[in-house]
Amino acid sequence: MKLKVILTILTTSLMLIVNGQNKGELNGTIKTEQGEPVIGANISIKSINTGTTTNFDGYYAIKLTEGKSYSIEISYIGYNTINKTVTITSGKTTHDFTLSESSYMLEGVLVTSQKREQKNKDVPIAITSYGTEFIENQGTLEYDALSEYVPGFQVQIQSVNNPGIVVRGITSDSGDSRVEPRVSIFQDGVSISKSRGSVVELYDIERVEILKGPQGTLFGRGAQIGAMHIIQNKAKNENSGSLKVGYGNFNQLLATGDANTILAKDKLFLRVAGIYNKRDGYIENLSGGDLNGKETLAFRTSLKYLISNNTSLDVIANWQQDTPPGTAFKSGTFEPAGGDLSPNTFADLERGEDLGVDRTVWGVTGILKHNFNATWDLTSTTAYREFDSNEAFDADGTAAPALFFNEISEGKQFSQELRFNFDTDNKFRGFFGANFFFEDGSQSVPWEYNEQSFAVLLASPEFFVINGVPTLIPSIPNDPAYGPLAGAPLNEYNTETYTNYGKNYSGDIFADASYDVTDKLSLTVGLRATWENINAAYEVTDAETPSNLGFLTGNYPNVLYASTNGEKIEASENFLSAVGRFALNYDINDNITLFGTASKGRRPNVINITATETNVLSDETVLSYEIGAKSLFLNNRLQFDVNAYIYDYSNFQTSVTEFENGTLTATTKDSGNASTFGFEVATQFAFTKNSSFFANYSYIDASFDDKDSDGNEQELAGNTFRLTPKNSFSLGFNINPTVNKNLDVFFRPSYTYKSKVFFEETNLPEISQDGYGLLNFRTGLHLYKKYEITFFMNNVLDEEYIIDAGNTGEAFGIPTYIGGAPRLYGIQLKANF
């Protein structure tokens, strides 16, 4: 009986204690010094390993034990951290806080690569992140300009229709609708990776994050070796805007601006932005017009609706049209009349002003976010996107009417992702979800030609062009060697076309989570399983006029493209796959973090169809191992990162254009095994509130192995990957002293260097560019904190270089070369309102 009484008393006492411990609550609001609520500020109580974040109103609440005192920390990127001890009374204890802006702050400290806001230092991935300020300061409106400042990242843009995007030696540039890129390009969480639709103008940008290494668990099936995430500015709860106009040499015209307004107080906001950027080409074309110019018109509209304190909806619509002049594929074999073979001087490409690109890209994205509680939230991302591009180019690089092509690419895609995010007491956090993706695309390549010119290229290429004048023969030579074809007439005009089609469905389930094993050590595991239904097709539209020349090449009635006899050859396969990552983070102290990762990346299988055969290439896989260290010192003023990595590739896929046995094919081949070793170093330092320095260096040794997985000697053994400099670096200053309260001056010099690159995996010496560096600067005035006058100059030393070589002409033994931009300069005016 006594035992029952004692147990009853103990149970009652325990219940009273437990109930008493749950009665207290700490709550309040967190605002800026201007009175704006801070959304997503962190409230942390490290002694009990708990915390929360503020909602859309800046409000927070935490259940705590009544009568106890706690040391709490309030932090938000860009603001000074507050530490305060509070005592919890019965009921609700209210404490409001005001955050003051940090005197010194580096951009790129905050990233969302793991689908949640974190300091770059705390993410076990090699990441380079640049925000609005850096992009504006460097005047980077295109990928290739931005890539100069990212270690291990190279972007070559022949035209907006044909970019080459390289992460640590791996190139993603195929326009074949059946081939998945190796590098994922994402825009606000949506894949825009297909090469012909992936180039978008960098205007009104919040942040760009470049992740190196396999990122399949975070960014899906195309992120075999890396991802670039473009995060655009969304509508905000404010009335604001800006306008910038500029003029430069080669008649550059720039106009860009944005406007943000409140449609319904604290409820509905609208933002519009746009850009027009035009510049004449810097290579004169004797046949008419100019080459290597630019013309882009783009608009964006975004709407934010705060449905409730816990639910928000962003709708973003993008539209972009590009109509630049043609690309200067200048011959390195035949000089134009009165000219030379330099790719940086005038050219003579047939069709003149008919050369160029006409491309339209548009899409709509909806992002719905809902917070269930302090632990769980949901993100739903729905998107639809289309692109339509037509590029006309002269592949022989001369005035000869032999190799004039169009590339007509079309694509549409739909994607839907549901992602549940969780954060349990700041100890276990991550996400899981599912994704559905559909794409339907095609790439059509019409070839228009004069048989009388092309016959010379086939039979006597040394006489193809003489003193800039094309050689024409009206008929097949009247020689007994040609048998019945001797003396047969050749057409002055003909056309034939090949088209590839790709229609793909994929479904993913994924999960990625981090667990704090101790206060210093955290472990991250990610997995993505994918089902793919890949459908490919190929067809050839035969020559408009059956060609006698086709008897000699073996492709009658065509000349170049082997006929499919009026049929579309189709094939379909289903594939299951999985990729994953394992990572460790170790905090040496509050300033330095070590990380290590092991991960697997994958490029999907390719169904390769030609007129004569259909084969399925194995999926290209890579095993990645990386270690590194990240650091933040001096209250986020000094950042220093270093990492090293090893990649091991199997079934490496190579895109090639070949002319063999009279037939031209653009196809993808399994080139066997390859491996990469490299390391990167990057640093930023803010030495005053508005002045900073950055520098980075990258070393990449990426080449094909001597033997394949079966022990056979490889055709490309020892060759370096294309578009891969072994050494590259960049550095720059933002010097921004204040003269008085109404006037600041600034000077922003930068220098970038890359060592020798090969433009083809054959590593031919003449198809390469030796190392070179580019010096740029921007200087000007800030007036009354609202106005800005900038003078800029790129390639100050007027360095001559090429951005590509070989190309389609190389398949015929007459490679072409594309000259890089000369010195460009101009003035820009900006106003904020």
Side-chain angles (χ1 to χ4, degrees), residues 759-779:
F759 295 109
E760 301 290 348
E761 272 136 4
T762 52
N763 283 191
L764 297 175
E766 65 272 19
I767 312 298
S768 65
Q769 166 64 54
D770 289 335
Y772 68 95
L774 297 178
L775 175 65
N776 305 325
F777 76 83
R778 299 172 71 85
T779 187

Side-chain angles (χ1 to χ4, degrees), residues 278 444 762:
K278 178 184 182 298
S444 182
T762 52

Side-chain angles (χ1 to χ4, degrees), residues 502-626:
K503 180 183 289 188
N504 302 316
Y505 302 83
S506 69
D508 298 325
I509 54 174
F510 54 83
D512 195 277
S514 299
Y515 178 74
D516 293 335
V517 181
T518 68
D519 289 342
K520 292 183 174 293
L521 178 65
S522 65
L523 180 152
T524 299
V525 177
L527 180 68
R528 180 179 292 258
T530 301
W531 161 81
E532 295 164 311
N533 173 238
I534 298 179
N535 304 271
Y538 178 83
E539 71 174 329
V540 170
T541 302
D542 289 339
E544 188 173 281
T545 304
S547 172
N548 290 319
L549 196 58
F551 284 111
L552 297 180
T553 63
N555 294 319
Y556 185 85
N558 302 325
V559 175
L560 275 187
Y561 304 149
S563 177
T564 58
N565 300 313
E567 296 182 4
K568 179 191 288 188
I569 305 172
E570 299 177 288
S572 178
E573 293 280 349
N574 289 289
F575 303 96
L576 295 174
S577 63
V579 296
R581 67 172 180 143
F582 175 83
L584 294 173
N585 248 31
Y586 183 76
D587 295 328
I588 294 179
N589 51 43
D590 289 341
N591 301 113
I592 303 174
T593 299
L594 304 179
F595 74 90
T597 66
S599 54
K600 178 184 177 181
R602 173 185 177 270
R603 189 188 201 189
N605 304 70
V606 174
I607 301 178
N608 203 33
I609 304 176
T610 68
T612 57
E613 63 177 354
T614 297
N615 60 79
V616 179
L617 296 184
S618 300
D619 54 346
E620 177 183 301
T621 60
V622 57
L623 298 178
S624 166
Y625 310 94
E626 183 164 0

Side-chain angles (χ1 to χ4, degrees), residues 469-514:
V469 179
T471 302
L472 306 177
I473 56 173
S475 60
I476 295 174
N478 196 4
D479 188 318
Y482 291 102
L485 293 176
L490 296 175
N491 296 309
E492 294 185 3
Y493 175 84
N494 215 340
T495 179
E496 54 195 68
T497 302
Y498 80 76
T499 305
N500 58 63
Y501 304 86
K503 180 183 289 188
N504 302 316
Y505 302 83
S506 69
D508 298 325
I509 54 174
F510 54 83
D512 195 277
S514 299

